[in-house]
Amino acid sequence: MIDNKFLITKLEEEHALTEEEFVTLLTEITEEDQEYLRVRAQTIARKCFGNKIYTRGLIEFTNYCKNDCYYCGIRRSNSEVIRYRLTDEEILNCCKTGYDLGFRTFVLQGGEDGSYSDEDITRLIKRIKSLYPDCAITLSIGEKSYESYRMYYEAGADRYLLRHETANEKHYSKLHPEKMSLQNRKRCLKDLKEIGFQVGAGFMVGSPYQTIEHIAADLLFLKAITPQMIGIGPFIPHHQTPFADQKQGKLELTLTLISILRLMFTSALIPATTALGTIDPKGRELGILAGANVLMPNLSPTTVRKQYELYDNKICTGDEAAECRFCLDRKMKNIGYELCVDRGDYKLMC
Ligand code: SAM
Ligand code: FES
């Protein structure tokens, strides 16, 4: 009989397990263990952050992408997507709406759209920073050179989200075309960290061909690079991709992993993602109760939301930014938390 409580206690005390121990914990976990783990993770999140949830306003500013990730609805080969790019003015309007609603971080996310030069991106960062000097800017625009990242940082960008997707080479090659490499993804994360960004990594839970061993390797990879932000969410198939018929990731496993991550990285910024809210109407609340401490509602204009469909049935595509904000306010109040007006930078909290 394997004592998972022992492993959970060890994880809480040492913030790490061996690969073998992670595999054991994830394979043998019972409902009772899951509940124990969840309570431990929630207790730590409460101790570190109180009942405060950080929010980030997500602006999906382009759905053009030169990449062809097999899982992603906006991949280059999906000729049925109606492509869009927001103008600088439209992006600044999103920021204004967001600022008035209490957001103090803007996340500029998009496909890898080659039509933006580094100068375009730096100009945009500078314009946002001059209008909202008290706000943080997070970029999530994929793999770039060291030099490009450095230009963005010097222009005022504070954070960068780049999920590693999977730490296993073979698995990576099953999710991406040959042209993309895990090595380059890792190089990007290393560069971003070296330059001084607060960095976010992460992976999809239940992506096609993923095994428990892969997840254990993901956890160890995260431990090695110690990102300030960690984004995980269930894989959800998109009907116009090669993975249309694959199974979606599981809610329970995603929640268990959020709790494990909280025990490993007590002060990290961990979102309850939109994908989690998509597979279960209470997904984001459950994510917070499992130890997450960030929400990233959408600030993109409703006219384009449907076109940034990475996976089927993505939620909130018809709602105005204000509706989303108030809806999340209510949802959080219902479970005893509140959204705070704060940049929500990474700090060593506990
Ligand atoms: N282009 C940037 C990049 O590659 O980092 C940012 C945009 S990318 C669409 C953001 C994240 O969406 C990816 O890192 C991936 O983990 C997630 N994603 C893409 N397709 C998904 C799907 N079918 N289900 C769940 N998450 C997905
Ligand atoms: Fe471009 Fe996934 S294929 S973000």
Side-chain angles (χ1 to χ4, degrees):
M1 178 73 183
I2 290 132
D3 185 359
N4 273 327
K5 287 225 172 64
F6 167 80
L7 290 180
I8 295 167
T9 306
K10 181 174 175 200
L11 186 58
E12 184 172 352
E13 282 169 2
E14 298 179 15
H15 312 297
L17 293 178
T18 65
E19 187 163 353
E20 217 184 341
E21 287 169 333
F22 274 130
V23 170
T24 305
L25 179 60
L26 289 168
T27 317
E28 311 283 338
I29 195 157
T30 63
E31 261 179 47
E32 194 191 320
D33 298 330
Q34 253 164 2
E35 183 55 17
Y36 178 69
L37 174 65
R38 193 185 68 75
V39 170
R40 292 315 312 142
Q42 194 190 112
T43 306
I44 289 169
R46 278 269 179 177
K47 197 170 112 203
C48 294
F49 307 101
N51 71 340
K52 302 280 184 284
I53 301 297
Y54 296 123
T55 57
R56 283 76 167 88
L58 182 63
I59 305 170
E60 298 158 337
F61 70 100
T62 171
N63 71 350
Y64 282 87
C65 191
K66 70 178 169 58
N67 288 336
D68 222 7
C69 312
Y70 302 144
Y71 45 83
C72 184
I74 61 167
R75 63 197 299 265
R76 187 185 63 211
S77 297
N78 186 359
S79 55
E80 292 182 54
V81 178
I82 302 165
R83 303 284 169 176
Y84 74 88
R85 263 179 210 115
L86 299 184
T87 62
D88 282 10
E89 298 318 311
E90 286 171 316
I91 296 171
L92 292 171
N93 268 335
C94 296
C95 295
K96 161 130 191 38
T97 308
Y99 192 86
D100 293 344
L101 287 169
F103 292 102
R104 295 295 177 267
T105 291
F106 302 120
V107 181
L108 298 177
Q109 190 182 81
E112 289 200 20
D113 183 347
S115 81
Y116 292 92
S117 65
D118 287 339
E119 287 70 27
D120 292 333
I121 301 288
T122 48
R123 189 187 61 243
L124 183 60
I125 295 167
K126 284 182 185 159
R127 283 188 79 183
I128 297 175
K129 275 285 178 171
S130 70
L131 288 167
Y132 305 102
D134 54 336
C135 291
I137 295 182
T138 304
L139 296 177
S140 177
I141 53 175
E143 298 174 22
K144 306 274 176 186
S145 67
Y146 183 95
E147 199 42 42
S148 300
Y149 287 147
R150 202 179 52 79
M151 281 175 70
Y152 307 156
Y153 187 74
E154 282 173 3
D158 304 273
R159 312 184 190 131
Y160 206 103
L161 301 177
L162 186 77
R163 289 186 178 179
H164 66 281
E165 312 295 1
T166 170
N168 179 283
E169 293 276 0
K170 269 206 182 123
H171 187 215
Y172 193 92
S173 70
K174 288 187 176 170
L175 302 180
H176 302 94
E178 216 173 311
K179 254 179 79 186
M180 295 178 72
S181 80
L182 176 58
Q183 219 185 355
N184 195 47
R185 203 94 185 154
K186 287 184 177 170
R187 189 272 305 159
C188 290
L189 286 165
K190 182 171 153 284
D191 287 353
L192 289 162
K193 204 143 198 217
E194 199 176 297
I195 289 165
F197 282 99
Q198 292 172 52
V199 174
F203 58 94
M204 288 178 288
V205 178
S207 60
Y209 313 108
Q210 186 183 56
T211 63
I212 291 295
E213 285 74 14
H214 291 151
I215 295 177
D218 285 324
L219 296 174
L220 291 177
F221 172 72
L222 289 170
K223 193 78 222 174
I225 64 165
T226 56
Q228 287 86 3
M229 302 168 284
I230 302 168
I232 64 163
F235 159 75
I236 307 173
H238 185 288
H239 64 287
Q240 289 154 348
T241 63
F243 288 161
D245 297 325
Q246 298 279 349
K247 282 209 245 26
Q248 80 179 21
K250 295 217 164 53
L251 175 72
E252 281 309 322
L253 181 57
T254 310
L255 296 174
T256 295
L257 286 165
I258 289 177
S259 297
I260 288 178
L261 288 169
R262 176 57 67 210
L263 296 196
M264 292 174 72
F265 305 95
T266 48
S267 300
L269 297 153
I270 302 177
T273 59
T274 306
L276 194 54
T278 298
I279 63 163
D280 188 289
K282 287 251 179 273
R284 284 172 297 179
E285 291 95 316
L286 292 170
I288 297 298
L289 294 170
N293 64 333
V294 174
L295 288 168
M296 296 173 62
N298 209 318
L299 282 181
S300 312
T302 40
T303 45
V304 299
R305 291 230 192 138
K306 196 77 191 139
Q307 273 105 269
Y308 200 87
E309 204 164 47
L310 309 178
Y311 44 80
D312 290 340
N313 306 315
K314 188 173 164 210
I315 51 168
C316 305
T317 53
D319 303 322
E320 294 291 343
E323 287 175 71
C324 280
R325 172 88 193 187
F326 298 137
C327 159
L328 287 176
D329 252 332
R330 267 195 313 277
K331 280 175 183 286
M332 290 303 114
K333 282 211 177 90
N334 281 340
I335 57 166
Y337 287 80
E338 63 182 65
L339 304 181
C340 63
V341 178
D342 191 307
R343 272 172 55 118
D345 285 297
Y346 177 85
K347 291 181 213 85
L348 207 55
M349 302 292 283
C350 49

